[in-house]
Amino acid sequence: MFRNITTYRADIDGLRAFAVATVVFYHAFPDAVPGGFVGVDVFFVISGFLISSILIIDMNERRFSFAGFYGRRARRIFPALAACLAATLAYGFVALTPSELAQLGKHLFFGAGFLSNIALWSEAGYFDTAATYKPLLHLWSLGIEEQFYILWPVLLWAAFRVKANIARLLAVLFIVSFAVNVALSVVSVADDFYLPVSRFWELLAGGALALFGQSAQTARARQLASLAGAAALTCSVALFTPELRFPGWYALLPVAGAAALIFAGPDAPLNRAILSSRAFVAVGLISYPLYIWHWPLISYAYVIRLGKPPTPLMGLAIVAASLVLAWLTYRFVECPARFGTARQRNTMLAAVGLALIGICGAGIWSGQGFPGRFARLPGVDIQKIGAARLDADFKPTAGMAVSEHDWTLIARLGSGERKVAFSGDSLLFHYGPRVQQLADDRRLAATAFFVVGPRCPPVPDVLQEDKFSGCGDLTGKLLDLVRREKIGSVVLGAAWTGYSAQGMFIDRDGKRLPLTTRDGQEAFYANLEAFVRRLQSEGAAVYLVLGLPSGPPFDPRNMVARTITGFSISPSVEEAPRVSDLRSVLANADARLTAIGARTGAVTLDPFPDICGAGLECSPLFGAREPKFSDQSHLRPAFVRENLHFLDRLLE
């Protein structure tokens, strides 16, 4: 029943080379290799095949031991990972601000414990830091692999002990995992991408090959399998894009392609001529350290360039540096640990080293990146910029009672007879701290409700893809609240100019219109006007919040000047944009809101005076030269609490 694969297959190292090359070039040149992320799925199939082969053979021959298996895994994984984590941390002290270093410390801690995928999953959301600012983002896949290899050997061992049908066990696990994957791809792409249960089927596909997938027996079968596998992988890399709801059903193509190439066997023409070539095998042998090293280098390039991707020349240099570091790590770190004479000692040293790095990461995380290592200055300094970056999140204030918290949030604050509801996206919810301040000062005379969601406009029938599909019932929830609580006033606010991107649609009179079109925008504001009238018919007075200033000068991240040797305060940090320029960006949306107000009697509210003052310029700073914003569009709670007064008359 069991395959006895004991011979080395050079073509599998070649397939590893293909997998790592697609990932590296996807990260370095994303426009040129749009589907290169499928290389990780190829890795999963290869890993499932090789490790399952070893497990099945060892168990079948009664020589398996958990200590031996996990010892080999530690010698294979720990040394290179520890070296990369140590180097990434060392440069982080030079290149990262305190808030960025704190996040790196968190990811070090979870990365050393092979839980990166769980940490990244917990961070996924509208306010998540951009992926390019996470030097250890790529460790999510390593976490999934190691979580699989905690469970799979135990299940196999138990199945062997009780003489269970292993093929049936594998089939059941595969079906369950794949079904979860498909279901989550509809509900939440982030859950589907990061959670292990929705990824295990890919490793189990490799395990199935190890269990009962004999290699193709005839020359024609070998040729067809290899060509079909190569075609599937080529199509995946060329045609897939990051916008797909991946993995889901789409992942079947690269997984099947990798499985077909393994099934074709080493004697298939393509496997023998290309995958087994010296160049492919050489890259395959260093594929693990190459994968480990390439992303921190690329991520730090994004950091240094203030979020801009590396130039083509820089991308090539990073790829070359990654290859050099990978070879050095393979030759002087990985090989001695795996094949040296003192294997037990090497295993222990690697485990202790990785644990110490994880502990360091936890300390940096809990110490918030050690902002005290930078002196406080009388003007704008790095501690104030770091505090601004940390002073933001889409979450209730301390006094809010939350009755519902899915993708949309319903919260209540205060107990006055008058009732006011605030509804919209994050640019409406960031006024919440002002309501909290009024409550703390015992000046809140109304009961305030919030019906909000990140990137959820208070406009009926707006359709968004991916995680923002949960916004669809925001207006329905608001209407239910208005009727149930007899709300007297409703305040609607949003990033009105932000709802015109790809993947955004609106339903108007039975037609699905893209919000990137003129007709779509007309329908957007027509639906808003109809919703205003609907709220008024329920007895509520409606207020529309006009746009607020935003842009790169307000983003604390842009207040830092970066070089390869570190960072400093940008010389343009105190440059204030002209109010007229900021308003011009919002002119069309503000005019539409004003027109809706004129036709319906809804009142427009202008936040500009509170944010910018009465002058011709809008300073990005307040108080003791601190940033007003946490990014380029979201106001800090610290600023809102004391400075935003335009809503006070509805609440006092």
Side-chain angles (χ1 to χ4, degrees):
M1 174 183 178
F2 305 111
R3 301 184 63 188
N4 188 14
I5 300 175
T6 57
T7 57
Y8 167 70
R9 284 184 56 175
D11 63 310
I12 290 182
D13 266 331
L15 188 56
R16 276 198 182 112
F18 170 85
V20 75
T22 56
V23 173
V24 170
F25 280 98
Y26 165 68
H27 286 149
F29 312 102
D31 294 334
V33 192
F37 54 85
V38 303
V40 174
D41 305 271
V42 177
F43 271 128
F44 285 160
V45 178
I46 295 171
S47 186
F49 171 73
L50 293 176
I51 297 299
S52 296
S53 297
I54 293 170
L55 289 170
I56 290 169
I57 292 169
D58 284 356
M59 290 179 186
N60 197 41
E61 297 180 357
R62 301 183 183 279
R63 63 184 183 188
F64 171 79
S65 75
F66 286 104
F69 173 77
Y70 290 116
R72 288 193 299 271
R73 291 299 296 169
R75 288 190 293 274
R76 167 78 166 122
I77 299 298
F78 288 10
L81 180 61
C84 179
L85 292 183
T88 303
L89 175 60
Y91 188 65
F93 268 93
V94 174
L96 300 181
T97 64
S99 60
E100 294 165 343
L101 185 62
Q103 184 181 66
L104 178 64
K106 174 185 176 182
H107 293 168
L108 275 170
F109 173 69
F110 283 99
F114 301 100
L115 293 168
S116 287
N117 58 315
I118 304 301
L120 293 165
W121 168 71
S122 70
E123 294 172 358
Y126 186 62
F127 284 90
D128 189 14
T129 302
T132 49
Y133 277 80
K134 296 180 179 182
L136 300 178
L137 176 81
H138 63 320
L139 297 187
W140 71 268
S141 62
L142 194 60
I144 286 176
E145 278 199 17
E146 297 312 305
Q147 289 153 27
F148 179 79
Y149 291 124
I150 289 173
L151 299 175
W152 183 228
V154 174
L155 291 174
L156 270 182
W157 176 81
F160 267 88
R161 294 276 292 184
V162 301
K163 294 182 171 54
N165 187 317
I166 296 175
R168 185 176 300 165
L169 169 67
L170 190 148
V172 169
L173 293 175
F174 180 94
I175 292 170
V176 170
S177 176
F178 184 74
V180 171
N181 156 56
V182 172
L184 288 180
S185 71
V186 176
V187 177
S188 171
V189 171
D191 292 358
D192 194 20
F193 193 89
Y194 288 122
L195 293 180
V197 67
S198 57
R199 289 287 195 162
F200 281 174
W201 68 274
E202 301 183 44
L203 292 114
L204 289 167
L209 286 171
L211 183 61
F212 44 69
Q214 293 292 332
S215 295
Q217 298 299 304
T218 67
R220 181 170 176 78
R222 289 193 291 269
Q223 183 177 26
L224 288 175
S226 64
L227 290 176
L233 293 182
T234 301
C235 289
S236 300
V237 172
L239 301 179
F240 284 9
T241 66
E243 288 74 33
L244 293 178
R245 300 186 71 84
F246 196 86
W249 286 99
Y250 293 103
L252 273 176
L253 189 61
V255 168
L261 283 166
I262 295 172
F263 176 73
D267 295 326
L270 188 148
N271 293 42
R272 185 176 63 251
I274 298 178
L275 295 182
S276 297
S277 65
R278 293 184 63 181
F280 269 70
V281 171
V283 175
L285 288 173
I286 63 170
S287 60
Y288 170 60
L290 178 56
Y291 181 80
I292 292 296
W293 279 109
H294 86 281
W295 179 249
L297 298 180
I298 292 173
S299 177
Y300 277 131
Y302 274 94
V303 170
I304 292 169
R305 289 173 55 77
L306 298 176
K308 294 185 294 185
T311 64
L313 184 60
M314 186 182 296
L316 288 173
I318 289 172
V319 172
S322 300
L323 285 166
V324 171
L325 287 170
W327 183 83
L328 291 172
T329 303
Y330 176 77
R331 176 66 178 82
F332 297 106
V333 177
E334 185 177 327
C335 284
R338 292 176 65 190
F339 309 120
T341 55
R343 295 184 182 181
Q344 292 294 110
R345 184 197 66 185
N346 291 342
T347 302
M348 184 61 67
L349 287 175
V352 170
L354 194 61
L356 289 175
I357 291 172
I359 292 170
C360 287
I364 293 168
W365 180 22
S366 64
Q368 297 186 333
F370 301 140
R373 60 197 170 107
F374 301 100
R376 288 188 178 275
L377 302 175
V380 182
D381 68 5
I382 197 63
Q383 291 202 43
K384 293 172 183 175
I385 291 173
R389 293 283 312 283
L390 294 172
D391 190 22
D393 202 353
F394 187 84
K395 62 185 178 183
T397 63
M400 290 183 184
V402 178
S403 58
E404 184 174 346
H405 192 177
D406 191 6
W407 190 250
T408 56
L409 179 148
I410 299 178
R412 175 176 180 154
L413 182 61
S415 57
E417 289 187 11
R418 285 188 293 112
K419 296 180 179 180
V420 182
F422 297 86
S423 187
D425 60 18
S426 55
L427 293 195
L428 184 283
F429 196 39
H430 70 184
Y431 299 127
R434 177 57 187 170
V435 184
Q436 181 67 60
Q437 185 65 47
L438 292 176
D440 294 343
D441 294 341
R442 300 184 183 279
R443 294 167 53 197
L444 181 62
T447 300
F449 295 88
F450 289 86
V451 183
V452 290
R455 214 178 86 176
C456 295
V459 179
D461 299 320
V462 171
L463 311 172
Q464 301 189 70
E465 297 177 348
D466 200 15
K467 57 193 175 186
F468 300 110
S469 60
C471 295
D473 61 348
L474 179 79
T475 53
K477 290 179 177 179
L478 175 60
L479 272 174
D480 290 343
L481 179 72
V482 169
R483 292 166 181 156
R484 183 175 65 251
E485 296 289 342
K486 303 294 188 292
I487 302 293
S489 301
V490 175
V491 180
L492 304 179
W496 303 111
T497 59
Y499 295 95
S500 58
Q502 293 291 336
M504 296 183 180
F505 302 88
I506 190 161
D507 191 311
R508 179 71 177 171
D509 298 328
K511 295 180 180 179
R512 192 171 190 251
L513 304 171
L515 284 174
T516 53
T517 65
R518 180 183 178 88
D519 288 344
Q521 285 296 301
E522 293 292 338
F524 180 84
Y525 288 102
N527 281 14
L528 173 60
E529 182 170 340
F531 187 55
V532 168
R533 295 184 187 279
R534 183 73 179 276
L535 291 169
Q536 290 170 332
S537 71
E538 299 291 340
V542 178
Y543 298 82
L544 300 173
V545 181
L546 301 177
L548 76 161
S550 64
F554 297 107
D555 191 343
R557 194 190 300 274
N558 296 332
M559 296 178 181
V560 177
R562 306 272 192 175
T563 67
I564 197 170
T565 58
F567 59 85
S568 59
I569 303 301
S570 172
S572 62
V573 66
E574 298 199 51
E575 291 182 5
R578 293 183 61 83
V579 171
S580 59
D581 293 337
L582 297 171
R583 284 195 181 275
S584 67
V585 177
L586 306 167
N588 180 59
D590 284 353
R592 288 178 178 271
L593 295 172
T594 301
I596 290 173
R599 289 191 294 267
T600 63
V603 178
T604 56
L605 302 173
D606 186 5
F608 254 80
D610 286 350
I611 299 171
C612 297
L616 298 178
E617 296 180 335
C618 188
S619 173
L621 307 172
F622 80 105
R625 321 309 296 156
E626 298 182 58
K628 295 176 180 176
F629 288 72
S630 60
D631 56 28
Q632 69 175 12
S633 57
H634 293 91
L635 292 166
R636 295 176 57 193
F639 175 75
V640 169
R641 280 193 293 267
E642 300 295 338
N643 296 278
L644 270 291
H645 303 287
F646 74 100
L647 298 172
D648 289 3
R649 63 189 179 92
L650 299 175
L651 300 165
E652 292 182 318

